[in-house]
Amino acid sequence: METNKYTAKDFATDQEVRWCPGCGDYSILKQVQTVMPEIGVPKEDIVFISGIGCSSRFPYYMETYGMHSIHGRATAIASGLKAARPDLSVWIITGDGDSLSIGGNHLIHLLRRNFDTNILLFNNQIYGLTKGQYSPTSEEGKKTKSTPMGSIDHPFNPLALCMGADATFVARTMDRDPKHMRQMLQRSNEHKGTSLLEIYQNCNVFNDGAFFGYTDKATKSEQTLFLEHGQPLIFGVNKEKGIKLDGFKPIVVSLDKVTEDELWVHDEKNRVKADLLTRFFGEDLPRPFGVFYSEERTCYEDALQAQIDQAVELKGEGDLDTLLRGSNTWEIE
Amino acid sequence: MTQETVEKVVIFFAGDSGDGIQLTGTQFTNTTALHGNDLSTFPDFPAEIRAPQGTLAGVSGFQISFGSTEIYTPGDECDVLVVMNVAALKANIKRLKKGGAIILNLDGFDKRNMKLAGFSEEQNPLFDNSLEGYQVSEMNVTKLTRECLVDSVLGTKEKDRCKNMFVLGFIYWMYNRTLDHTIQFLSDKFKNKPDVFDANIKVLKAGYNFANTCEVSSGRFEVKPAKMARGTYRNIMGNQAAAMGFIAGAQQSGLDLFYGSYPITPASDILHELAKHKNFKVRSFQAEDEIAAISAAIGASFGGALGVTATSGPGVALKGEAIGLAFMLELPLVIVNVQRGGPSTGLPTKTEQADLLQAVYGRNGEAPVPVISASTPSDCFSAALEACRIAIEHMTPVFFLSDGYIANGAEPWCFPQSKDLPSIKPKMATANTDYLPYKRDEKLVRNWAVPGMQGLEHRVGGLEKENETGNVSYDSDNHQMMVKTRAEKVERIADFIPDQQLDSGAQQAKILVLGWGSTYGAIKSAIKELLAEGKSVAHAHLRYIVPFPNNLGKLLEGYDHIVIPEINNGQLIKLIRDKYLVDAKGLNKIKGTPFQSREIKNHLLDLLNGD
Ligand SMILES: Cc1ncc(C[n+]2csc(CCOP(=O)(O)OP(=O)(O)O)c2C)c(N)n1
Ligand code: SF4
Ligand SMILES: [Mg+2]
């Protein structure tokens, strides 16, 4: 089928979707299936690779090539796939436990190598599949089955971690804002290099309402900040608040006191400011959504191919008999 | 000066790890190979790369056995011991046969070196008569090297680094070898450092001339070329041969080679070798750990490449879960274990065969994986190629077992021509046909559809699958059926491998020695001698351990006793007893070193005499 004739339905499989009713994963699946026809890649050239977790069931529901692998290793598997097959569109599906606990090591190494793959990190701040233990993104003090007196782990700030690993594309969206999510999926796909998209995902069974502050009508506009390249940082019910930089310190200002041109203007290419944005992580500042950072940097698979081409150019295409013979031989008559 | 013709010589070079002993050994080996001798080598590395200078812990060794007859092992006892300092002598004198020759660097026996080695002045072997009964040739290697380089612009440290060339030159004279190969080697190595090149050549020649003119040497020897089968030969090390086997596996199957690995002794040289051959489109990938290395290889295989990953025992422990995944996915993958002394970090630079049961059983769930082993350095080539063939044609992960002894050992190799290598046929699916990912053929092998093939989009995973469709299934009958089917698939590989042959001896005899892996040379030498003495013994050496060759059970019936020598506490023996219910007896050595052939021979003689 021609790629421009696909519809979202073409990306649905015949397998029954098995998440709990009301799970945020449904929305993500729907948006991904909606975006796929738009990326202009034939179905057979798309691969979804996941680890283990509720979220990692995802590939079973995508009518593309797919692998539901082992806990934490989707990033490493995708690295090998992309190294061997740079022509494919590779998507990694992972949970907060999968990517930041057991798979933390592979995640940071994938980011620094910058394989051209898209990571969708389903962050529900809980271990869903194993029925509700705290995860590396759960807040301190969280009471779960494994932390009856409250968690004493300090949580990861996933996007700050990824910036620290020199990620070339870092973005955040949420399950309850389909339109924004589709935009972010598009942007992830367009980015050449590893794109990391954190998706706030509600686990209504074990961690219901973790992100309600950002998704609920009543609080959303106060607590969220939608980033747009070249635009000032403005939020609030009536867009009446902005963010200003006081040295390196972001402060919330009221727009009736300061003018727009004094505000922080978002620049996706500015690493230092992106770092600061990832640190909007407490109660005092709104939580940013959108593309924090985007940078062009050589992808591992391209550098690898360049070395192969260079080796072929220097030594000629490998000849097995020459290799077997080596440089020193002798004859026995 | 006398000149004597000898059939076989064993030399052991020993010195500080900074003395260039391995280079000396390899140069002598290559020159000896080009001279036409049969040979076998065994490097003995210290555990620490930079152990304190002059200490026993820092001694690096290199053993070579060469001759005009067939050579199967690096030799039991040494005829010649070359030592650069007193620590090297103390650590290795036990290897030297009675009356053997010692060539020693006097400068390594001074007060300072005695102290470094942890001995008092009174214990100096030069003066305590402990070397009586050996033929000792003494020379001031350090001093002579410096004198020879008085005019050189090099600093003292750099000059001293040339002293291994003095010794090499000396030995070249003793065994009538030409300097040509080493001169060529040095000119390549120091292409851009003419001063260093000049100095090395000067010292090499000085050592050669010193042996010729001074009466220190115990004589000059001639070792005639060996009568080996006709053909063109080269020298080869095990890890190098394995690397070539994988390149050949890729070429013969038309797949691209992806090699994922995390450095570990003694497997790293495979990574180094493959990284050199990018012009074969080898994609070598140094991963962040062993789990990532195998995972990346699985990803590459999913994409239609030949995924290979290599490590040693500790790394295999980490890869276990991913091997299970590859087994469930039924994708081609080769896992190399260059075994070393265990458990845990164990003896990283020493050899052992103690990871066999790990390879056979070391996974969760019912996950049998074919296991193939290599028996000599050059055999690593064909065993690696065979591992690729089985992985690709039977759609399964395959274990390839080697060990530190054959990985670093070298021997002459009558290398094959590519046109004589088997071709490997991947079982590719056809695009735009009805595709059931887990539908099987008569070998129980599934078809392989890779991303990019239109109309064959499908999902695989580690969850139990429904028969044929591959959809997730929790059905209990289906699970039992799938477990049995996957096991049967691996068992059926036995129909596609050669029958077990005897290496030597008759179909019926008192004793069959059944070996696997690197014990080959020592067993072969022992059996050869016993057969020559008219003893009723035979030798079979296993390449295929999972599955065993179809005829193995029948073959075992021809003998009163079955003896299984292993460099472990008894592992193959468990598999043999389990499968064939035979009363096999083990011969086990767990010292981090290979068997000597006389150890095997004596054991068999005891058994024969006890009969
Ligand atoms: C090696 C291994 N250890 C542990 C598990 C059990 N396990 C499965 S999923 C999971 C955590 C999942 O959490 P997350 O990645 O956040 O995914 P979610 O279910 O929340 O989507 C754990 C601990 C496993 N499958 N494999
Ligand atoms: S447990 Fe939570 S994350 Fe998992 S499917 Fe149910 S709602 Fe979704
Ligand atoms: Mg989670």
Side-chain angles (χ1 to χ4, degrees), chain A residues 1-2 6 12-15 18 42-49 52 57-88 102 105-110 112-113 115 300-301 303-305 307-333, chain B residues 30 32-37 39 181 225-235 243-244 247-248 251-252 256 258 273 276-289 291-305 321-322 325 329 331 381 412-413 415-419 421 449-463 470-472 474:
Chain A
M1 194 186 298
E2 278 176 47
Y6 289 137
T13 63
D14 59 358
Q15 296 296 292
R18 294 242 191 135
K43 273 200 308 192
E44 63 271 18
D45 291 342
I46 302 174
V47 185
F48 278 81
I49 297 193
I52 297 288
R57 295 295 174 93
F58 199 95
Y60 290 121
Y61 312 133
M62 290 297 301
E63 188 54 53
T64 61
Y65 281 90
M67 186 196 295
H68 177 221
S69 73
I70 44 177
H71 202 18
R73 318 302 171 199
T75 33
I77 292 171
S79 300
L81 175 62
K82 191 69 187 181
R85 293 289 306 275
D87 58 311
L88 301 173
I102 192 166
N105 195 26
H106 310 312
L107 174 73
I108 56 178
H109 289 278
L110 170 55
R112 77 178 166 89
R113 291 187 183 115
F115 280 102
Y300 187 101
E301 67 273 20
L304 178 61
Q305 188 59 51
Q307 284 199 340
I308 289 174
D309 295 343
Q310 193 192 353
V312 170
E313 202 178 301
L314 280 172
K315 304 192 216 167
E317 223 164 89
D319 173 56
L320 187 55
D321 285 305
T322 312
L323 177 71
L324 292 174
R325 161 170 274 278
S327 48
N328 286 305
T329 61
W330 68 95
E331 300 289 332
I332 304 271
E333 301 289 319
Chain B
N30 290 342
T32 297
L34 289 171
H35 188 75
N37 294 128
L39 64 86
H181 170 76
K227 288 172 234 33
M228 295 192 277
R230 277 188 59 186
T232 312
Y233 284 74
R234 63 168 289 173
N235 193 36
M244 289 182 194
I247 291 178
Q251 296 244 320
Q252 297 305 101
D256 281 346
F258 178 92
E273 183 67 24
K276 281 196 280 196
H277 299 304
K278 288 228 163 71
N279 61 326
F280 284 85
K281 304 210 167 70
V282 176
R283 287 163 199 270
S284 67
F285 178 64
Q286 181 175 318
E288 57 272 23
D289 62 24
I291 301 174
I294 186 170
S295 298
I298 290 172
S301 284
F302 182 69
E321 188 192 13
L325 174 68
L329 301 181
L331 283 172
F381 175 80
W413 182 33
F415 54 92
Q417 304 233 295
S418 63
K419 64 176 171 43
L421 298 176
V450 305
M453 290 181 155
Q454 204 177 35
L456 306 187
E457 297 83 9
H458 67 286
R459 275 65 54 195
V460 296
L463 285 172
N471 291 330
V472 175
Y474 301 110

Side-chain angles (χ1 to χ4, degrees), chain B residues 211-396:
Chain B
N212 192 8
T213 47
C214 300
E215 294 277 308
V216 288
S217 165
S218 41
R220 200 172 194 198
F221 303 91
E222 173 68 30
V223 183
K224 297 245 162 64
K227 288 172 234 33
M228 295 192 277
R230 277 188 59 186
T232 312
Y233 284 74
R234 63 168 289 173
N235 193 36
I236 189 90
M237 288 168 65
N239 274 344
Q240 202 184 7
M244 289 182 194
F246 297 129
I247 291 178
Q251 296 244 320
Q252 297 305 101
S253 60
L255 304 178
D256 281 346
L257 178 60
F258 178 92
Y259 183 78
S261 191
Y262 186 74
I264 186 169
T265 302
S268 303
D269 280 340
I270 303 180
L271 173 62
H272 305 161
E273 183 67 24
L274 285 172
K276 281 196 280 196
H277 299 304
K278 288 228 163 71
N279 61 326
F280 284 85
K281 304 210 167 70
V282 176
R283 287 163 199 270
S284 67
F285 178 64
Q286 181 175 318
E288 57 272 23
D289 62 24
E290 282 85 352
I291 301 174
I294 186 170
S295 298
I298 290 172
S301 284
F302 182 69
L306 167 59
V308 178
T309 185
T311 185
S312 190
V316 172
L318 289 177
K319 290 176 197 284
E321 188 192 13
I323 299 171
L325 174 68
F327 172 79
M328 276 299 256
L329 301 181
E330 303 188 44
L331 283 172
L333 177 75
V334 178
I335 306 123
V336 183
N337 182 349
V338 186
Q339 300 163 95
R340 64 189 213 180
S344 187
T345 310
L347 299 170
T349 59
K350 306 288 172 193
T351 198
E352 207 161 273
Q353 297 184 298
D355 300 340
L356 177 62
L357 295 180
Q358 180 192 39
V360 176
Y361 296 122
R363 284 162 298 286
N364 58 305
E366 298 286 352
V369 162
V371 179
I372 286 190
S373 64
S375 53
T376 71
S378 68
D379 188 50
C380 287
F381 175 80
S382 37
L385 178 57
E386 180 66 346
C388 296
R389 181 188 73 82
I390 293 177
I392 295 166
E393 294 191 345
H394 294 266
M395 293 289 280
T396 176

Side-chain angles (χ1 to χ4, degrees), chain B residues 399-411:
Chain B
F399 254 106
F400 166 64
L401 296 181
S402 159
D403 64 30
Y405 172 33
I406 51 178
N408 290 316
E411 66 179 356

Side-chain angles (χ1 to χ4, degrees), chain A residues 52-55 71 95-98 102 124 126-130, chain B residues 321:
Chain A
I52 297 288
C54 294
S55 37
H71 202 18
D96 44 320
D98 194 65
I102 192 166
N124 54 12
I126 199 84
Y127 286 178
L129 191 72
T130 46
Chain B
E321 188 192 13

